[in-house]
């Protein structure tokens, strides 16, 4: 934040009863402490924004203007004007009489043009943009100026002058413009440099006296950059380890390597061993020569040829790895000279990196101080020209596009001279060099990116105090008091989960609430009908449904004193009017006792139906056994009471708790907890027989729930099976035993159905498993029944990629075969059964996925290593020539899109790509495929090929990639080419029309003829639908307005009460008349009786 701004805010007289709500939140947000991020929610609430407005993106320059205006409305201080307000002058000068028409204007920030295609303007520097801003426009021809002095239309100059500048000079680089061709807003991410020291004395002069260096022509500069970029890329191909690793050298490269190797061997007859003294001396000299650097550089190689033994090793071990890079990626090189060389280099790297790490901070500090010193010298030099010299101290950056993005800032600290990045709640130190990367792109490809948007300069020449501005005492006190109030308020908040019959709710209250008040709140929230005296609050174990502590005679105590805490469960207990509440016994606990039955199938509580015993934990085991005998009739000498062992992998599934030496122990001594489940069975005659419960516990541990479908129900294409049947089986059983159980369950012969798919992993079903069954004869081990068909790309035109195929026959295959063997056997079968003659080299085998031909099976693959299962469908694709695809390549389809004719090329062309190929490699292939200039190739990958139509290229939003020089790998973002049958559409960027109106009309006609209602909804207007921008507004609510509003509200309430009182009085008057009449009649009657 600007220091002068903070100081002015802290001097603002603050009184809680008089200051506006916005003033409070501004002070709270700018409290000047050491926190990484200030809480701005109070400030946002003071803007009177709704939640949607709070999360909407606002333009930072617009927000600053509106915020400053709100601050000025909130207080009479003029520090905004003093700090930020500058003055300019608009003028029109008659060129005939030289008289000027002048009008003064004030501004808080200056908006400068970066680039405008409509005006054919590009300002590549801040100075150039200022120069363009004050450049006069000549009014001539039909646009002549009507001069009042000459009383005639004359040629004139119209422009602006800067008259006076504020202490804080803010500049907005206009990086958003309206595209007159597409009628859309776009971001201008072009390069614009700006200085750390800005001399504005030059721009306060008349226009013809301003001196500014001319920049080189933009087109020439871009052409140079383009050629340089291409040259660097070609040079880097040799040293790119990823490209080198995955491609074989050409014959010319091998010959060049051999020539280099021979030359080096002739030049250096004796190779230095890595362990020799001379080798170590070489490395020590390297180390000493590079201690001031952060890493070795590749330029070290020519001066140290003995580091590399042969030219081949110079090629195989990349320069970037040897000098400063990570050598761990080379893996274990084994023994030998190359391995020893790399090992020695690693040791040198480690020592240099450690030393450089210690020197890094010192080096950065030296660079920073040197930079700050040069700024001070530059300021002193420019101050001789005048006082309007400014130093850059804040850069607001916009990252993203015209319709959305993210703001963050680089701000200079005047306490230590360092720059910091403020990004949401994170503050991090940066180098001043980082700011240079925010100038923009010299060769922009897209209308988006990260670049400087809002610059703030402060007037130089005044040495600011390095101490932070003091916060006034009343602000410190107010902040501390408010923090304490909020802290205490949060500490007193309490959320209780309350249960009443079948209802429950979480009720918010406070820790200082009385128990009786809390009960009334619960009764109100849960709509309790019983009388108050027939209800009470008590703690509740809702998991086991056990009521706990009661609070007899504690209705007037607060919840905190009764040990209520957050999300404590309580029960609102009720009774009949004639009943009495039972007091809580802290030693009473619930034991669930399950008695053995021979028909028990599972250990689910619903099936076990345990008996519930309420017993005190100070009772002995013998007393518990007496209670069992009394209730269940099982003699004490026949009882075996077990507790399940919950430890995984334990030798015993349970342990007995009523052995002879345990009878005098209490339940508490045996650590029998509340709501525990125990198991009872009677002693058997043979003591060596295993216990029934132990056998059941063992079976339960290995129990598996198996779901499966009915194989007699024919599944439609791509239909999901209905797993409607379920069996429970021990997972130690074999698959054959499971199939026998299924056979008995379904009433089918065991050899009449097969497993199609299963969810079992690692040949073991744990917990549950699902099986898809279908009718058919099972195969023997290692063989599969596969359905084969023949087909390929459809010859019928379609906007997408479609395939056609027909079924041929079923064939049993062996998983040990190679794909090449399978092709040979298929060729024989085709000729014998279908009279189709094919050669193995002229066919492909592809996995059919739904209606799409997917994975290709390559000749050298073994069938057991690829995805093969019974009743799988494999399609034979007939080729016109021998298959060119290699095992490590992926097959895709490419079509050319012509925007002028609005057509897609047909048929689709095949393309083979490695997963390590870059988009630049793709451009080389496509350039020869469609005869397009490689510089202009743009491409997209279609993700959903099933629903794609050509109209989507206009109605949908696609990220067209310029392929040349694009180093994105095709297997990663944004394409992610990982499987066969991907679909790519390419176009010539030069043929894309700037005016899309005609193309949109053509799309509308196509959609109008479409019979698909969903396609009709894609009809687009001449201008693309974009989110409507809402004007930014901060509503200032002053204290006087609040008081007036409260008075008005109070007056309305008083009037309403008075009106209600009048109505009640009117109702009472007839009653009083009747009473008076009755009294009169009664008096008259009494008088008559007396007479």
């Amino acid at each position: 934040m600007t220091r002068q701004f903070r100081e002015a805010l802290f001097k603002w007289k603050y009184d809680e009863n008089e200051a506006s709500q916005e003033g409070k939140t501004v002070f709270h947000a700018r409290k000047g402490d050491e926190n990484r991020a200030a809480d701005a929610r109070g400030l946002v609430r003071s803007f009177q924004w709704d939640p949607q407005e709070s999360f909407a993106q606002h333009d930072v320059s617009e927000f600053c203007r509106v915020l400053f205006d709100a601050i000025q409305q909130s207080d009479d201080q003029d520090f905004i004007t003093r700090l930020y307000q500058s003055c300019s002058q608009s003028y029109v000068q008659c060129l005939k009489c030289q008289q000027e028409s002048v009008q003064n204007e004030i501004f808080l920030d200056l908006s400068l043009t970066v680039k405008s295609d409509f005006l054919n303007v590009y300002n590549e520097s801040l100075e150039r943009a200022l120069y363009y801003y004050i450049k006069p426009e000549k009014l001539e021809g039909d646009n002549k100026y009507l001069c009042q002095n000459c009383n005639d239309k004359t040629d004139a100059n119209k422009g602006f002058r800067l008259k006076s500048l504020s202490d804080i000079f803010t500049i907005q680089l206009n990086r958003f413009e309206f595209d007159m061709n597409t009628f859309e807003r776009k971001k201008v991410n072009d390069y614009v440099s700006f200085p750390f020291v800005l001399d504005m004395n030059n721009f306060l002069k008349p226009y013809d006296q301003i001196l500014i260096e001319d920049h080189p022509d933009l087109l020439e500069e871009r052409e140079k950059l383009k050629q340089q970029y291409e040259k660097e890329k070609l040079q880097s191909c040799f040293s790119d380890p990823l490209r080198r690793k995955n491609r074989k050298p050409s014959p010319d490269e091998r010959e060049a390597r051999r020539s280099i190797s021979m030359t080096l061997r002739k030049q250096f007859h004796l190779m230095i061993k890595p362990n020799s003294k001379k080798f170590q001396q070489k490395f020590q000299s390297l180390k000493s020569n590079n201690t001031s650097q952060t890493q070795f550089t590749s330029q070290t190689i020519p001066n140290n040829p003995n580091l590399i033994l042969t030219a081949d090793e110079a090629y195989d071990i990349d320069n970037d790895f040897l000098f400063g890079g990570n050598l761990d990626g080379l893996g274990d090189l084994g023994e030998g000279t190359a391995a020893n060389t790399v090992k020695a280099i690693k040791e040198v790297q480690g020592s240099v990196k450690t030393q450089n790490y210690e020197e890094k901070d010192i080096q950065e500090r030296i660079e920073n101080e040197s930079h700050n010193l040069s700024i001070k010298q530059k300021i002193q030099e420019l101050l001789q020209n005048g006082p309007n010299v400014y130093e850059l101290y804040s850069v607001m950056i916009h990252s993203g596009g015209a319709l959305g993005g993210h703001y963050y800032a680089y701000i200079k600290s005047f306490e230590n001279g360092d720059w910091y990045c403020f990004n949401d709640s994170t503050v991090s130190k940066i180098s001043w060099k980082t700011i240079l990367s925010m100038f923009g792109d010299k060769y922009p490809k897209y209308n988006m990116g990260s670049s400087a948007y809002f610059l703030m300069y402060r007037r130089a020449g005044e040495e600011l105090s390095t101490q932070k501005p003091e916060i006034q005492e009343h602000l410190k006190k107010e902040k501390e008091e408010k923090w304490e109030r909020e802290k205490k308020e949060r500490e007193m908040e309490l959320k209780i989960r309350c249960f009443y019959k079948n209802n429950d709710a979480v009720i918010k209250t406070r820790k200082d609430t009385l128990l009786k008040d809390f009960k009334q709140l619960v009764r109100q929230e849960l709509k309790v009908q019983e009388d108050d005296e027939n209800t009470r609050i008590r703690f509740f174990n809702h998991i086991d449904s056990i009521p706990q502590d009661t609070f007899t005679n504690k209705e007037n105590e607060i919840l905190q004193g009764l040990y209520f805490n957050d999300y404590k469960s309580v029960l609102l207990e009720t009774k009949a009017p004639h009943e009495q509440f039972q007091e809580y016994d802290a030693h009473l606990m619930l034991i669930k006792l399950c008695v053995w039955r021979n028909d028990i199938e599972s250990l689910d509580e619903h099936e076990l139906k345990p008996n519930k015993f309420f017993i005190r934990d100070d009772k002995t085991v013998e007393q518990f056994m007496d209670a069992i005998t009394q209730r269940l009739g099982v003699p004490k000498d026949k009882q075996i009471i077990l507790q399940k062992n919950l430890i995984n992998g334990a030798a015993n599934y349970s342990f007995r708790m009523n052995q002879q030496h345990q009878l005098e122990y209490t339940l508490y001594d045996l650590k029998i907890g509340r709501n525990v489940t125990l198991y009872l069975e009677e002693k058997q005659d043979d003591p060596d027989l295993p216990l029934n419960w132990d056998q059941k516990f063992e079976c339960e541990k290995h129990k598996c729930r198996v779901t499966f479908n009915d194989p007699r129900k024919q599944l439609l294409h791509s239909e999901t099976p209905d797993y409607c049947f379920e069996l429970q089986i021990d997972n130690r059983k074999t698959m054959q035993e499971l199939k026998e159980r299924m056979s008995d369950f379904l009433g089918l012969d065991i050899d009449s159905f097969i497993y199609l798919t299963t969810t079992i992993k690692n040949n073991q079903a744990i917990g549950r498993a699902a099986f898809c069954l279908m009718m058919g004869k099972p195969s023997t081990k290692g063989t599969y029944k596969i359905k084969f068909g023949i087909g390929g790309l459809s010859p019928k035109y379609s906007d997408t990629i479609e395939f056609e195929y027909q079924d041929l026959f079923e064939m049993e295959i062996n998983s040990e075969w190679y794909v090449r063997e399978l092709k040979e056997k298929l060729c024989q079968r085709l000729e014998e059964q279908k009279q189709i003659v094919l050669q193995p080299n002229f066919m492909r085998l592809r996995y059919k996925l739904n209606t799409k031909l997917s994975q290709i099976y390559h000749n050298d693959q073994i069938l057991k290593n690829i995805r093969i299962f019974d009743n799988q469908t494999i399609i034979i694709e007939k080729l016109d020539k021998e298959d060119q695809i290699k095992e490590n390549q992926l097959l895709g389809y490419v079509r050319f899109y012509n925007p002028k004719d609005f057509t897609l090329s047909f048929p689709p062309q095949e393309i083979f790509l490695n997963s390590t190929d870059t988009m630049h490699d793709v451009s080389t292939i496509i350039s020869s495929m469609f005869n397009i200039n490689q510089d202009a190739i743009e491409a997209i990958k279609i993700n959903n090929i099933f629903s794609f139509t050509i109209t989507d290229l206009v109605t949908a939003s696609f990220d067209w990639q310029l392929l040349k020089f694009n180093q994105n790998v095709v297997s990663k973002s944004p394409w992610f080419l990982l499987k066969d049958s991907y679909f790519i559409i390419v176009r010539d960027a030069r043929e894309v029309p700037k005016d899309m109106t005609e193309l949109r009309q053509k799309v509308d006609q196509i959609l109008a003829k479409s019979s698909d209602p969903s396609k009709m909804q894609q009809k687009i207007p001449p201008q693309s639908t974009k989110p409507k921008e809402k004007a930014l507004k901060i509503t200032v609510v002053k204290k006087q307005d609040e008081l007036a509003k409260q008075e008005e509200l109070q007056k309305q309430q008083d009037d309403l009460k008075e009106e209600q009182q009048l109505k009640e009085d009117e109702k009472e008057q007839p009653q009083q008349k009747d009473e008076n009449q009755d009294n009169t009649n009664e008096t008259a009657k009494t008088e008559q009786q007396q007479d």
Side-chain angles (χ1 to χ4, degrees), residues 235-282:
Q235 291 176 349
S236 66
C237 287
F238 183 80
S239 62
D240 186 352
L242 188 63
R243 293 169 57 85
R244 185 186 63 250
K245 179 180 178 182
N246 292 282
R247 71 177 181 89
K248 296 181 179 178
S250 64
D252 294 338
E253 290 176 341
R254 287 196 295 270
E255 183 62 31
R257 276 207 238 169
R258 199 175 295 111
S259 175
I260 294 172
S261 178
M262 294 300 296
T263 303
L264 284 176
R265 287 195 176 103
K266 291 177 182 177
Q267 196 170 3
F268 304 103
H269 298 287
L270 297 175
M271 295 290 112
I272 300 176
K273 298 181 179 180
N275 295 326
S276 68
K277 181 181 293 186
K278 191 172 182 181
F279 183 84
Q280 296 297 332
Q281 290 175 354
K282 284 285 184 180

Side-chain angles (χ1 to χ4, degrees), residues 834-975:
K834 302 295 181 180
Q835 289 74 48
I836 299 176
V837 179
L838 270 180
Q839 297 297 325
N841 293 338
F842 288 82
M843 63 187 294
R844 285 196 199 118
L845 299 184
R846 303 186 64 177
Y847 170 56
K848 185 176 81 70
L849 178 64
N850 298 327
T851 59
K852 171 184 171 184
L853 300 189
S854 182
Q855 179 185 359
I856 295 177
Y857 300 134
H858 298 278
N859 288 340
D860 294 331
Q861 290 179 308
I862 303 177
L863 295 179
K864 66 179 181 181
N865 295 333
I866 57 181
R867 190 170 183 264
I868 295 292
F869 51 87
D870 277 326
N871 285 284
Q872 177 182 352
T873 300
I874 295 179
I875 300 298
I876 301 169
E877 186 176 11
K878 185 179 178 181
L879 304 177
D880 296 331
K881 58 182 179 179
E882 288 193 15
D883 198 357
Q884 303 296 319
I885 192 170
K886 299 177 182 178
E887 186 172 350
N888 59 347
Q889 290 181 328
L890 297 174
L891 166 67
Y893 300 97
V894 183
R895 300 180 69 173
F896 178 73
Y897 168 55
N898 188 340
K900 291 183 179 179
D901 301 334
F902 197 57
T903 56
L904 285 171
S905 63
F906 187 82
Q909 301 293 314
E910 291 184 347
I911 184 171
F912 309 119
L913 297 177
N914 293 309
S915 59
T916 56
D917 285 339
T918 64
M919 292 189 179
H920 180 84
D921 301 327
V922 178
S923 68
T924 306
I925 300 172
I926 292 177
S927 176
S928 59
M929 185 182 294
F930 294 104
N931 195 23
I932 312 174
N933 189 333
Q934 192 174 353
D935 294 338
I937 298 177
E938 291 183 333
I940 55 173
K941 178 207 171 190
I942 304 301
N943 292 322
N944 191 354
I945 67 173
F946 295 104
S947 61
F948 170 79
T949 62
I950 191 173
T951 57
D952 293 340
L953 297 175
V954 178
T955 60
S957 177
F958 289 105
D959 184 14
W960 289 90
Q961 299 285 326
L962 188 63
L963 299 187
K964 190 172 183 181
F965 304 134
N966 192 332
Q967 295 303 307
N968 286 331
V969 181
V970 295
S971 61
K972 298 181 180 179
S973 177
W975 281 3

Side-chain angles (χ1 to χ4, degrees), residues 777-788:
K777 187 177 181 181
S779 303
T780 58
K781 185 177 180 180
T783 61
Y784 298 91
K785 286 187 176 180
I786 304 298
K787 296 179 180 178
F788 287 93

Side-chain angles (χ1 to χ4, degrees), residues 710-712 739-740 742-753 775:
D710 188 347
R712 292 163 294 198
K739 195 172 183 183
E740 291 173 359
M742 290 179 174
S743 175
D744 295 338
F745 184 89
L746 296 171
L748 295 174
D749 185 81
I750 193 170
D751 292 329
S752 63
F753 64 93
M775 302 301 292

Side-chain angles (χ1 to χ4, degrees), residues 178-440:
F178 189 76
D179 193 328
M180 299 302 294
N181 294 319
T182 62
F183 296 99
E184 295 177 351
R185 194 179 182 215
K186 70 176 183 179
K187 181 176 179 180
V188 179
N189 201 47
D190 290 58
Y191 178 92
V192 179
S193 63
F194 47 86
F196 287 88
V197 180
L198 178 62
D199 182 11
M200 290 302 295
N201 294 305
N202 190 33
F203 296 99
L204 292 175
K205 300 175 183 178
Y207 174 75
D208 54 0
Q209 298 180 19
I210 297 175
L211 299 177
I212 184 170
E213 295 181 1
D214 289 332
H215 288 260
D217 183 77
L218 178 62
L219 296 178
E220 292 182 7
E221 179 71 14
R222 288 190 175 177
E223 187 63 31
K224 290 178 182 177
L225 288 170
K226 180 179 175 182
Q227 293 175 0
Q228 181 182 354
Y229 186 71
E230 185 174 1
K231 183 179 179 181
E232 291 175 354
K233 289 299 176 185
L234 291 175
Q235 291 176 349
S236 66
C237 287
F238 183 80
S239 62
D240 186 352
L242 188 63
R243 293 169 57 85
R244 185 186 63 250
K245 179 180 178 182
N246 292 282
R247 71 177 181 89
K248 296 181 179 178
S250 64
D252 294 338
E253 290 176 341
R254 287 196 295 270
E255 183 62 31
R257 276 207 238 169
R258 199 175 295 111
S259 175
I260 294 172
S261 178
M262 294 300 296
T263 303
L264 284 176
R265 287 195 176 103
K266 291 177 182 177
Q267 196 170 3
F268 304 103
H269 298 287
L270 297 175
M271 295 290 112
I272 300 176
K273 298 181 179 180
N275 295 326
S276 68
K277 181 181 293 186
K278 191 172 182 181
F279 183 84
Q280 296 297 332
Q281 290 175 354
K282 284 285 184 180
F283 273 108
Q284 290 300 326
S285 64
L286 274 177
K287 181 178 176 182
S288 61
N289 292 334
N290 288 276
T291 52
S292 61
Q293 302 176 5
T294 57
Q295 60 180 14
F296 287 112
T297 59
S298 57
Q299 283 75 13
T300 317
I301 290 180
N303 301 325
N304 299 274
N306 293 323
L307 291 178
I308 303 171
L309 303 184
T310 65
D312 291 339
E313 291 183 17
Y315 184 83
D316 292 335
I317 303 177
D318 187 77
N319 297 350
D320 293 336
F321 278 136
L322 285 175
F323 298 98
N326 185 7
L327 287 169
D328 296 336
L330 294 177
D332 185 10
L333 299 179
E335 300 295 334
T337 53
N340 293 331
T341 302
V342 172
K343 184 177 179 181
I345 293 172
K346 283 185 179 181
E347 293 176 357
V348 174
Q349 280 188 354
S351 61
V352 173
K353 287 181 179 178
T354 302
Q355 186 173 359
N356 289 334
Y357 179 78
E358 296 172 352
E359 297 178 353
K360 185 178 180 180
D361 292 338
I362 300 175
Q363 186 68 24
E364 288 182 356
R365 174 55 59 188
I366 293 173
E367 292 181 358
N368 185 53
E369 291 179 357
S370 175
H371 175 68
N372 288 334
L373 181 61
S374 65
I375 287 178
K376 290 180 180 179
Q377 293 174 350
K378 185 70 174 178
I379 289 173
Q380 295 301 322
E381 177 185 341
L382 295 177
L383 282 174
Q384 298 177 6
N385 301 329
N388 296 298
V389 179
Y390 290 84
E391 179 183 359
L392 179 71
Y393 76 94
S394 176
V395 181
M396 182 66 74
I397 296 151
H398 180 269
S399 176
L403 298 180
H406 176 62
Y407 285 112
Y408 58 97
Y410 295 159
I411 301 177
K412 184 176 182 179
S413 169
F414 291 108
E415 284 80 7
N416 55 20
D418 293 330
W419 283 86
Y420 293 87
C421 173
F422 290 75
N423 192 345
D424 290 341
S425 61
T426 303
V427 179
S428 57
K429 186 177 177 181
I430 62 170
S431 169
W432 61 271
K433 297 178 182 179
T434 308
I435 299 170
L436 306 181
S437 64
M438 291 298 116
F439 289 170

